[in-house]
Amino acid sequence: MSSSQSQMITSRLVFAIAAGAIGSSFQHGYNTGVLNTPQSKIESFINSTIFSRTGQSADKEYVETIFSLMTSIFCVGGMVGALCTAFVAQRFGRKGGLLLNNIFVFIGAFMMTFSKTFSSHELLVLGRFFIGINSGLAAGLAPMYLTEISPVHLRGAVGTIYQLIIVIAILIAYVLGFDSMLGTDTLWPYLFAVTLIPTIFMLSTLPFCPESPKHLLINQKREGHATSGLTWLRGTIEIHDEMEEMRQEAQSIELVPKVTLADMWRNPVYRQPLIISVMVMLSQQLSGINAVIFYSTAIFKGAGLEDSLATYATVGMSMVNVVMTVVSLVLVERFGRRTLHLFGLGGMVFTTILLTFCVQMKHILILSYLSVAMVYLFVIFFASGPGSIPWFLVGELFGSNARGLATSIAVAVNWGANFMVGLLFLPLQTHLQGYVFLVFTALLAFFWTYAYKKVPETKGRTSDEIAALFRQKSYQ
């Protein structure tokens, strides 16, 4: 790294990254995992509210249906939020959109925290929907903001931070859900109030950070504000080269009309990167990561671990996810996006095949323990690339004029795939048992082949260089 590059890593840039990422991706991760540990307590609460109204206990299937709705409506909210990303990013800016997005946190947290006080499980469902909207918007706005405030040589590492905070937040949700923490019969509603802490952090820090200089220059034509914002982030007035790159991008954008949804499909310059964006998002959610995490406790118990130890093993798996995401933060700038994504997908193909074999032969003690190792190895491969790369790759594939719309579409697809996995995994597991992982083996093999043939390397390339790459391909 050159001295000029190292100077770009300033305390102010780190401050802006923390301000933009912690308050947004924490909600995404924490609310993904928060229902896991206290599930039985929440189901008891649902039953008690129904009994207090009707004088009769609800049957188990009905309670489980409400809990499933509570779980899945988070993804529905996520899709709604994701589809609003382009409008919010254009109308209010990246930073402004992130700040306004906290309204949904306050609404959702209030509903869920006081659901027991008001004896209303409906408030839990509604609250999950609102916090889902927040998470969907955050999944589009935060990576966009992080990508646009980062120097080119740090874009991948900074983009990985979004996924890093997600996995840390999932781990925190698991730990706080223990009976020894907030997962008791009386304290579980306060698990949902925890989401206010990163919200308060964002509201206390992000207002002091500049709006995305790219957004200010290219979308709002405010060159003076863009210059001062970039100077603040870089800690130096020597920003001529970076400003010139943004001016060139702005000039090239002015030569083409405003990008519409129809343009995204009709124009091959946009269509090719959009399809790639959608496919990498699908490769993340249809990789089987949620299924493996869901099935992990059962695998650990099948290996002979007691219930409490199986729970701790699941937490350990989450810790491995955190550690490997930190490792990928370093590796992504060394080996590139394409290489790490292929490495992760290929490794997951290998582990799902072995995991299927081990689960079927779990009566053999050594294979039973090997199945535990395969779960951990699967998570390692996922975190090395497919876990983090899709979130920021979309922002790298598009210029500022199309980035918001492309992010909206890609992130909505991600949430939609997440919803479908949650909806279909249990029926598939019922019919296929341990062979369910072979479904993901086939999907992973398909996504690996697609990525090998179509996904370009974006490491170290500017927006103009990437756009030129797709223009060249469209004329071939």
Side-chain angles (χ1 to χ4, degrees), residues 214-422:
K214 278 198 171 188
H215 173 71
L216 289 170
L217 176 65
I218 296 172
N219 296 326
Q220 295 190 346
K221 315 299 182 189
R222 297 162 68 187
E223 184 167 334
H225 286 81
T227 302
S228 60
L230 194 61
T231 302
W232 187 92
L233 288 165
R234 302 293 180 259
T236 177
I237 59 172
E238 297 177 9
I239 56 168
H240 178 268
D241 289 346
E242 217 173 338
M243 283 298 299
E244 187 57 34
E245 282 179 10
M246 287 195 290
R247 289 190 194 101
Q248 288 175 5
E249 185 179 342
Q251 288 170 4
S252 64
I253 287 169
E254 286 176 357
L255 297 175
V256 295
K258 184 180 177 182
V259 179
T260 64
L261 191 61
D263 293 329
M264 278 288 183
W265 184 250
R266 283 200 303 253
N267 191 334
V269 173
Y270 300 122
R271 184 173 66 241
Q272 289 184 44
L274 180 64
I275 293 172
I276 290 171
S277 300
V278 167
M279 291 297 279
V280 294
M281 285 295 189
L282 287 174
S283 72
Q284 183 193 75
Q285 287 299 332
L286 301 183
S287 66
I289 184 63
N290 291 329
V292 168
I293 289 174
F294 179 86
Y295 204 65
S296 61
T297 305
I299 293 171
F300 297 148
K301 287 178 182 178
L305 298 180
E306 296 177 1
D307 287 4
S308 59
L309 287 176
T311 302
Y312 285 119
T314 300
V315 171
M317 179 186 66
S318 188
M319 291 176 69
V320 167
N321 201 356
V322 171
V323 172
M324 281 306 302
T325 305
V326 173
V327 172
S328 73
L329 187 146
V330 177
L331 296 179
V332 73
E333 291 300 351
R334 179 168 296 182
F335 296 106
R337 290 75 158 133
R338 183 176 182 274
T339 302
L340 278 187
H341 196 65
L342 287 170
F343 172 77
L345 293 177
M348 292 159 82
V349 171
F350 168 75
T351 48
T352 48
I353 293 170
L354 280 180
L355 184 58
T356 302
F357 177 73
C358 293
V359 167
Q360 295 307 315
M361 305 294 288
K362 63 183 179 183
H363 56 277
I364 301 173
L365 188 60
I366 186 67
L367 292 180
S368 180
Y369 285 114
L370 187 60
S371 66
V372 175
M374 285 302 105
V375 169
Y376 275 72
L377 193 58
F378 184 91
V379 170
I380 288 171
F381 281 120
F382 175 80
S384 67
S388 56
I389 288 170
W391 293 118
F392 66 87
L393 185 67
V394 180
E396 292 187 331
L397 292 175
F398 290 89
S400 290
N401 64 327
R403 189 172 291 135
L405 184 56
T407 301
S408 271
I409 296 167
V411 174
V413 167
N414 185 287
W415 282 98
N418 190 353
F419 176 73
M420 292 303 294
V421 170

